[in-house]
């Protein structure tokens, strides 16, 4: 293809031009590269950002950079080249500098004395082609090559000041901090039998001990492995420095992450089998000063009992929850910090509602457990699949019940309110400290008070406390602090059987085994609605709920202390009554 043919008119070859966007989008749909919905989302993103359409597609994660090179070559009728087509020595080393080639994202790969074949990561850059043709005094035959391979060729063949930049461009595209040889070395280390066995044994050990998380923390002296058991971290192993890279790479390979990328956080998922039982692990990596920190959250569906009583909810709260879940519409919210069991509570509610007569959707980030008969959708912000956008589309699917993983912004909150007004039951979570604070949080987001008063049915605030080991916990006399707490909680001391932890092999000498829930359930009574419309402050709503007989979370916790289920220290640790 000649130079003039490369320099196409802007209305057809400018990747920012609306005409190009329309034609290229139709081409992608016609070739089954992308669905029409995904293309429409990319077009909206391009219109908002003003960036090139091809770059928008790759940055949204819709088309990998290497695939984009192949697609553009086919669309533009240009040959596709790869690193195998690079020459053995640099062409025109006296005329061309690495900095110029790196900035233009192109590299000459062949010269027959009259025409030069030019591999381009940006085939729309007609100005650079013209400049090169003028400089070399030859005709140009354009070809397409991925940006990573162009940068690799520049770094390999051209010296001078531009080489470091070319190498940096290559690493930025591939996530490779140490080059191809380093990646192969990591793959080899991670594939060795001892490392495979070490990682498998660690996951199996965590599953057997019913740990909720595995933490791998790089340090100067090695790699520390800790398990979160009943909400508390315990160190179980310290691996040598030589194992740091291999163990981390093994986990990243299992989670299908980029093992060469060590500069940015990554998230993935692993499916493992332990003693014939399938376990899902959510994997998160984070770069630190001493290497990559890895956290794996264990999602063992078989170990979760989706029953309100088994989760530790007191009978009055259980009964009220079941009653409010029977409502045909409205919003029910669960609140609490990370790791307080909110998602498990929502799944328990869904399992109670799930039946062949109801259509249920969930919108989650991520999907933690798979529920038979429930349509579960994963949020993917990179392709504009947000909580709000999915929720709007779900409403057109005629659902009865919708579970939204979290209400994070006004847009999601308003769609949830609209869903409840149109006859749907909506379950979701909000990050606040109490049930009353959840209402003020929604008001702060911008939800109108009259809409909240008419759609919100209940707010459940909860925390997890460690449960005393049934095999070793011993009776204890009520301490002065406990007696004072009983009074503050408005409870009676009669028939109390408080206990204290002792420690035995069954509980690993901790005195605790498993966890239970302390909670408060705020129901939208007439009194609460009136205070919401008149005042809306957290204190006013809390007073109205208390006047209606709502026991606070602290009261629920002290009741569990008197029943011998947990200790006052545990209750004070997770509630605001610690002072």
């Amino acid at each position: 293809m000649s130079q003039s043919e490369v320099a196409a008119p802007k209305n057809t070859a400018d990747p920012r031009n609306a005409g190009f966007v329309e034609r290229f989008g139709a081409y992608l749909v016609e070739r089954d590269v992308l669905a029409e919905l995904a293309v429409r989302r990319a077009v909206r993103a391009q219109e908002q950002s003003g960036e090139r359409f091809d770059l928008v597609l790759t940055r949204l994660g819709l088309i990998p950079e290497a695939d984009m090179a192949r697609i553009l070559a086919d669309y533009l009728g240009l040959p596709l080249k790869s690193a195998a087509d690079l020459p053995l020595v640099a062409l025109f080393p006296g005329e061309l500098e690495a900095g110029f080639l790196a900035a233009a994202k192109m590299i000459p790969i062949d010269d027959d004395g009259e025409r030069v074949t030019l591999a381009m990561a940006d085939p729309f850059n007609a100005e650079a082609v013209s400049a090169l043709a003028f400089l070399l005094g030859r005709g140009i035959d354009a070809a397409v090559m991925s940006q990573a391979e162009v940068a690799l060729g520049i770094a390999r063949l051209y010296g001078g000041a531009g080489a470091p930049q070319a190498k940096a461009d290559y690493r930025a595209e591939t996530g490779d901090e140490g080059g191809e040889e380093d990646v192969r070395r990591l793959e080899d280390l991670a594939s060795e039998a001892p490392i495979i066995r070490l990682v498998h044994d660690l996951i199996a050990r965590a599953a057997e001990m019913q740990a909720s998380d595995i933490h791998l923390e790089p340090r100067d002296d090695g790699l520390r492995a800790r398990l979160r058991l009943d909400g508390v971290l315990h160190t179980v192993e310290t691996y040598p420095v030589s194992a740091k890279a291999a163990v981390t790479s093994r986990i990243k390979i299992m989670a299908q992450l980029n093992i060469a990328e060590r500069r940015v956080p990554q998230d993935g998922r692993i499916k493992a089998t332990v003693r014939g039982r399938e376990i899902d692990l959510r994997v998160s990596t984070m770069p630190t000063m001493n290497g990559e920190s890895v956290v794996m959250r264990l999602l063992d569906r078989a170990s979760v009992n989706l029953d309100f009583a088994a989760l530790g909810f007191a009978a009055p709260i259980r009964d009220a929850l079941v009653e409010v879940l029977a409502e045909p519409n409205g919003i029910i919210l669960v609140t609490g910090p990370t790791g307080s069991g909110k998602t498990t509570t929502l799944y328990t509610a869904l399992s109670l509602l799930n039946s062949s007569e109801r259509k249920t959707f969930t919108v989650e980030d991520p999907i933690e457990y798979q529920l038979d008969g429930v349509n579960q959708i994963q949020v993917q912000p990179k392709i504009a699949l947000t909580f709000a956008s999915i929720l709007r589309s779900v409403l057109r699917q005629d659902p009865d019940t919708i579970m939204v993983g979290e209400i994070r912004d006004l847009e999601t909150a308003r769609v949830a309110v609209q869903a409840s007004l149109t006859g749907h039951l909506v379950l979701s979570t909000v990050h606040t400290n109490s049930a009353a604070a959840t209402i003020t949080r929604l008001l702060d987001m911008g939800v109108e008070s009259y809409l909240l008063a008419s759609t919100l049915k209940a707010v459940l605030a909860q925390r997890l406390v460690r449960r005393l080991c049934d095999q070793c916990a011993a009776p204890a006399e009520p301490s002065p602090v406990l007696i004072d707490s009983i009074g503050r909680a408005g409870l009676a001391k009669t028939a109390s059987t408080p206990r204290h932890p002792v420690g035995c092999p069954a509980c690993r000498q901790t005195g605790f085994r498993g966890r239970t829930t302390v909670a408060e359930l705020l129901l939208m009574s007439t009194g609460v609605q009136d205070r919401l419309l008149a005042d809306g402050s957290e204190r006013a709503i809390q007073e109205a709920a208390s006047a209606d007989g709502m026991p606070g979370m602290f009261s629920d916790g002290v009741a569990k202390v008197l029943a011998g289920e947990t200790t006052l220290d545990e209750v004070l640790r997770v509630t605001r009554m610690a002072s």
Side-chain angles (χ1 to χ4, degrees):
M1 180 171 287
S2 69
Q3 174 189 339
S4 61
E5 289 172 311
V6 172
K10 287 189 175 182
N11 66 334
T12 59
D14 182 356
R16 291 183 177 86
N17 180 268
F20 173 86
V21 171
E22 180 180 357
R23 285 187 292 274
F24 190 54
Y27 172 85
L28 295 175
V29 173
E30 180 184 342
R31 297 299 179 95
D32 290 327
V33 176
L34 291 177
E36 187 174 353
L37 179 61
V39 171
R40 287 204 299 266
R41 292 197 182 96
V43 170
R44 287 198 297 269
Q46 190 276 332
E47 291 172 346
Q48 293 171 359
S49 66
E51 290 187 338
R52 293 170 41 155
F53 189 49
D54 56 328
L55 295 184
V56 169
L57 290 165
T58 55
R59 287 171 182 171
L60 287 176
L62 295 174
I63 300 177
E65 187 265 336
D67 290 349
M68 179 59 77
R70 174 182 53 78
I71 293 167
L72 284 177
D74 187 47
Y75 178 76
L76 298 172
L78 298 174
L80 177 67
K81 302 295 183 179
S82 68
D85 297 304
L86 291 169
L88 297 177
V89 295
L91 301 180
F92 312 105
E95 292 88 351
L96 300 178
E97 294 182 354
F100 167 76
L101 295 175
K105 299 179 181 178
M106 61 187 188
I107 183 172
I109 59 174
D110 191 36
D111 173 34
D112 64 2
E114 293 184 359
R115 304 187 67 79
V116 174
T117 301
L118 184 66
M120 308 175 67
D122 180 8
F124 303 101
N125 193 348
E127 293 179 358
V129 174
S130 298
L132 190 68
F134 178 80
L135 178 65
L136 300 179
R138 286 174 167 81
I140 302 296
D141 291 326
V144 180
M145 182 181 285
S146 74
Q147 184 169 331
E149 291 175 311
V150 168
L152 174 63
I154 297 170
R156 180 185 299 168
L157 299 173
Y158 292 83
Q165 181 60 46
K167 292 179 181 179
D169 289 343
Y170 171 69
R171 291 170 183 171
E173 288 298 317
T174 63
D176 182 2
E177 291 191 337
E180 294 180 355
E181 292 183 3
D182 188 39
V183 175
R184 286 195 294 269
R185 181 181 64 83
L186 287 173
E187 290 175 339
D188 291 341
L189 286 172
S191 300
E192 292 179 356
I195 296 298
I196 294 175
R197 186 166 57 250
L198 181 153
V199 173
H200 179 270
D201 289 347
L202 178 62
I203 293 173
R205 183 176 182 182
E208 289 170 357
M209 296 176 72
Q210 296 187 337
S212 60
D213 303 272
I214 302 171
H215 293 248
L216 290 167
E217 300 160 333
R219 305 194 301 180
D220 287 337
D221 58 347
L223 183 68
R224 180 173 65 176
R226 296 198 289 174
L227 303 182
R228 190 176 291 279
L229 305 169
D230 299 332
V232 179
L233 284 170
H234 298 267
T235 300
V236 292
E237 292 286 351
T238 300
Y239 303 114
V241 174
S242 59
K244 280 202 297 187
V247 170
T248 302
S249 297
R250 176 60 190 167
I251 293 170
K252 291 170 76 172
I253 288 173
M254 294 172 69
Q256 298 182 342
L257 301 178
N258 184 351
I259 67 170
E261 178 57 84
R262 285 158 280 177
R263 304 161 301 168
V264 298
Q266 296 187 69
D267 296 301
R269 198 169 191 133
I270 295 173
K271 282 188 177 291
T273 303
V274 176
R275 305 286 189 267
R277 191 170 81 243
E278 282 195 357
I279 294 175
D280 283 346
L281 297 98
R282 274 168 42 196
V283 181
S284 171
T285 69
M286 176 69 67
T288 70
M289 183 178 66
N290 294 315
E292 285 184 285
S293 170
V294 179
V295 176
M296 294 182 282
R297 169 156 289 188
L298 280 74
L299 306 172
D300 185 2
R301 175 68 175 82
S303 67
V304 177
N305 192 343
L306 299 181
D307 179 81
F308 286 129
L311 295 178
F313 287 101
I317 292 180
R318 292 200 308 267
D319 295 341
L321 267 177
V322 171
E323 184 176 345
V324 77
L325 285 169
E327 295 278 350
N329 55 62
I331 301 174
I332 301 172
L333 299 175
V334 182
T335 186
T338 301
S340 60
K342 300 186 299 297
T343 302
T344 303
T345 297
L346 288 180
Y347 276 116
T348 303
L350 287 178
S351 67
L352 182 67
L353 296 171
N354 191 18
S355 69
S356 59
E357 292 80 25
R358 299 178 69 96
K359 185 160 188 175
T360 302
F361 280 90
T362 71
V363 186
E364 306 174 64
D365 185 22
I367 297 172
E368 295 199 4
Y369 301 106
Q370 295 182 5
L371 295 176
D372 291 337
V374 175
N375 303 283
Q376 297 175 265
I377 307 168
Q378 168 70 52
V379 169
Q380 299 185 61
K382 288 184 178 180
I383 56 173
L385 278 176
T386 62
F387 281 112
S389 65
I390 297 174
L391 189 51
R392 278 192 293 267
S393 298
V394 162
L395 292 178
R396 295 191 286 269
Q397 292 281 312
D398 188 29
D400 296 294
T401 306
I402 306 169
M403 190 270 270
V404 184
E406 182 182 352
I407 294 178
R408 300 175 179 175
D409 50 43
L410 177 59
E411 185 182 14
T412 307
R414 281 184 168 160
V415 179
V417 167
Q418 187 62 40
S420 67
L421 288 172
T422 53
H424 305 88
L425 184 64
V426 181
L427 313 179
S428 190
T429 69
V430 178
H431 280 283
T432 57
N433 290 323
S434 67
T438 301
I439 297 177
T440 58
R441 173 74 180 112
L442 292 171
L443 292 174
D444 290 342
M445 283 185 187
V447 181
E448 293 79 0
S449 58
Y450 70 91
L451 289 176
L452 272 183
S454 60
T455 59
L456 189 61
K457 300 297 183 183
V459 182
L460 175 71
Q462 66 178 71
R463 303 288 191 277
L464 294 178
V465 295
R466 290 186 293 173
R467 190 193 299 268
L468 285 165
C469 176
D470 286 335
Q471 297 192 24
C472 66
E477 287 295 321
S479 66
V481 177
L482 177 57
I483 293 173
D484 177 64
S485 297
I486 294 170
R488 286 194 289 164
L491 300 174
K493 180 186 170 184
T494 57
S496 63
T497 56
R499 299 189 297 172
H500 69 86
V502 177
C504 68
C507 61
R508 304 176 301 277
Q509 304 302 326
T510 64
F512 298 92
R513 191 176 184 186
R515 288 188 288 179
T516 188
T517 307
V518 294
E520 61 184 20
L521 180 64
L522 187 155
L523 299 173
M524 288 298 289
S525 64
T526 302
V528 174
Q529 288 176 329
D530 291 343
R531 295 301 291 271
L532 167 60
L533 294 171
D535 187 335
S537 68
E538 179 181 349
R539 181 174 181 178
I541 294 169
Q542 182 69 44
E543 289 175 352
S546 298
D548 285 338
M550 180 190 80
M553 192 184 303
F554 179 71
S555 298
D556 186 47
V558 173
K560 284 182 166 57
V561 174
L562 297 179
E565 295 181 38
T566 188
T567 66
L568 184 61
D569 287 343
E570 281 292 298
V571 174
L572 294 175
R573 179 175 62 85
V574 301
T575 66
R576 295 187 297 169
M577 297 293 290
S579 59

